[in-house]
Amino acid sequence: MPKVIGIGGLFFRAVDPGGLAQWYEKHLEIADLHKSVWQQQAGPTIFGPFSESTDYFGRSEQQWMINFRVDDLDGLKAALTASGIAVETRAEWDSEAGRFARIHDPEGNPIELWQPPDTPG
């Protein structure tokens, strides 16, 4: 049977698409789609609907949250903090699944950063 083999893109509305693309490129090294296609490393991807009443994403009107796999959570947290970006961590977020942190882009969209347990760094 034919099947989906991966995520081909993530598209969302933004007040300032160009500025937001620059922010993602500068702080997370995700290529602006108008310049090139971002090539991600192969690895696990979670696709998981949550209950409509979850507070895990933050704002109640927030319909989605992206989770990025990272290779060095501590290093990325330090770089983001040095750039003036607030980084939130909670002990209860970390588990056998790995370590997590949360940031928000300039338009308030939550971004989860995940270092799987088998990732060096």
Side-chain angles (χ1 to χ4, degrees):
M1 175 177 177
K3 63 183 179 192
V4 172
I5 59 170
I7 296 173
L10 175 69
F11 308 99
F12 56 99
R13 298 177 198 273
V15 173
D16 179 8
L20 203 53
Q22 288 176 357
W23 185 90
Y24 276 86
E25 188 170 37
K26 176 180 179 182
H27 297 291
L28 300 177
E29 296 188 25
I30 298 172
D32 180 335
L33 73 91
H34 295 94
K35 295 179 183 176
S36 65
V37 175
W38 175 47
Q39 296 292 322
Q40 59 182 316
Q41 293 181 4
T45 299
I46 305 299
F47 182 83
F50 278 65
S51 166
E52 68 181 349
S53 62
T54 187
D55 62 357
Y56 190 66
F57 301 169
R59 303 184 322 237
S60 61
E61 70 275 10
Q62 190 66 43
Q63 293 297 308
W64 62 275
M65 179 177 64
I66 186 107
N67 170 299
F68 289 121
R69 268 181 286 116
V70 303
D71 63 358
D72 180 2
L73 184 60
D74 292 331
L76 184 55
K77 287 180 350 186
L80 292 166
T81 300
S83 292
I85 297 169
V87 179
E88 181 182 2
T89 59
R90 295 184 190 173
E92 64 266 22
W93 289 347
D94 297 341
S95 69
E96 66 279 350
R99 298 174 50 231
F100 298 85
R102 180 90 41 90
I103 63 174
H104 290 82
D105 71 19
E107 295 196 10
N109 298 306
I111 302 165
E112 189 169 65
L113 305 171
W114 168 43
Q115 183 173 337
D118 59 348
T119 307

